[in-house]
Every structure is written in structure tokens, then in C-alpha cells.
Amino acid sequence: PMKRIWLFLVMVLCLAFAVRTLLLIDATALWSDELYSVGKSFQSSFTSMLAMLREDTHPPAYYALLWLWGHLVGQSPVGLRSLSWLAYFAGGMVMVRQAMALGPLDARVNVGTVAALLAFCSPYPIRFAIEGKSYAVLVLLVALAWWWRRSSHLIGYGVMAGLAGMTHFYGLFLVLAAAAWDGWRRRWSFSAAAL
């Protein structure tokens, strides 16, 4: 019973943080980096946006997604930031589920509780959730990539890893680091087997 009460309190706390974060998406004016996102994404047509992105140094996936999102919900500061909030919420859910799947059977509730606190109540996820930038979307894509990687679903992993790399350069670096780790681990296991 005490474990259930603790779990319920953590769930309420995480939900309170998520709702409070949602209420903050319109609390401030757009800052310079968000204005760059608006300038790149909120073009009159998709081809205009692609033409602008050809001149840009950043990967295009976030801006393309933001263009589609802006046409669905409106091209406003709330529209811009609501995409980040949804990515924060979905990414947090994926990370909690992933942590529980990786944890030992007898400690899954505890592992999920800690993961939920880190995913929903930490300063960086909250900050990314109220910014019209690619970071929250990147976190969601990386979390999904790791989910597919853990389940050995190569197509799902490849798609999510590719999207992460096309969303932000950090996504590319994370995927390359994972590939280097896998290569080193395989080499180590082959060397150990040869001994």
C-alpha cells in the first residue's frame, strides 16, 4: 500500500509539472532563436520553406515538421511552443516506459518513478517544453530510437535515428556514438571469444 501511495503521489506531481509547463508556453514573448524558427518555418508554402532551408546550416526535419504543425494549429507563439510541449510529454512517457522495461522485475515501479521525476520535473525538459526549438522533438526521437534499438527493430531504429540526425546535429552525434559503442562492444566480445 505504501508503494502505491508513493507511486500515486509521483504521478500527480509529474502531471502537475506537465500541466504547469503547458500553462507556461505563452508566458513570455518569443526570443531570438525562436524567432529564427518562426522565420524559417512559417513560410507561405512548403517549397518556399525548403528554398530558405537550402541556405541554412541546420538540419531541416524540425522546420518541416513545424511548418506542417503551424498549418494544423496556427502560426502563433502558442502553436510554435505547443509542438515542443507535446514532444516533451510524449518523450517523457517513452522514457518512463523504456526505464521500466530495462529495470529488474521487482524494481520496475521504483525505476519508473525515478524516470518519471527526471523526465517530467527536471529543469532542462521543462525548459525545452516551453521553447519553440527542436530540443524536445530531438529528445522524443532519440527516446523512440533507443526504444527500437533495445527491441532490435532495425527499421524502426533506423527511421528514428535518421529523423533525429535530420532534426539536430546532436541527434547525429548520439547515433554515431551508439554505433561506435556497438562496434567496440562487438570487437571486444570477438576478442574475448578468441582468447
Side-chain angles (χ1 to χ4, degrees):
M2 188 62 178
K3 191 179 259 189
R4 287 186 183 198
I5 293 170
W6 171 246
L7 179 62
F8 176 75
L9 290 174
V10 168
M11 287 173 52
V12 167
L13 180 66
C14 290
L15 185 59
F17 266 84
V19 169
R20 177 67 177 139
T21 304
L22 178 61
L23 296 174
L24 288 173
I25 63 173
D26 197 28
T28 62
L30 297 178
W31 63 289
S32 60
D33 277 1
E34 290 177 310
L35 291 171
Y36 287 124
S37 294
V38 168
K40 292 174 189 175
S41 300
F42 290 169
Q43 299 293 316
S44 57
S45 70
F46 197 74
T47 53
S48 299
M49 185 206 58
L50 289 177
M52 178 175 274
L53 290 177
R54 282 190 200 107
E55 308 290 321
D56 196 61
T57 58
H58 294 89
Y62 172 72
Y63 302 108
L65 177 62
L66 191 55
W67 184 88
L68 292 169
W69 183 253
H71 280 77
L72 284 175
V73 302
Q75 297 178 347
S76 68
V78 171
L80 173 74
R81 291 173 174 166
S82 63
L83 177 62
S84 294
W85 184 86
L86 284 173
Y88 150 78
F89 190 78
M93 297 298 284
V94 171
M95 286 187 278
V96 170
R97 183 67 185 104
Q98 174 89 323
M100 290 177 74
L102 290 171
L105 282 174
D106 59 341
R108 285 193 174 170
V109 172
N110 294 338
V111 170
T113 300
V114 171
L117 290 170
L118 291 172
F120 291 105
C121 306
S122 298
Y124 285 112
I126 291 170
R127 178 68 187 174
F128 296 157
I130 59 174
E131 272 189 9
K133 295 297 295 170
S134 61
Y135 303 118
V137 173
L138 174 65
V139 168
L140 170 61
L141 292 172
V142 169
L144 288 169
W146 273 199
W147 178 269
W148 291 117
R149 184 175 186 268
R150 182 190 63 80
S151 61
S152 299
H153 193 282
L154 294 180
I155 293 173
Y157 174 68
V159 168
M160 291 302 127
L163 285 172
M166 293 297 294
T167 297
H168 197 284
F169 293 120
Y170 291 159
L172 179 63
F173 296 145
L174 287 168
V175 171
L176 291 175
W181 169 255
D182 287 344
W184 180 81
R185 200 172 62 179
R186 282 192 190 105
R187 182 176 176 202
W188 182 262
S189 62
F190 288 142
S191 298
L195 295 175

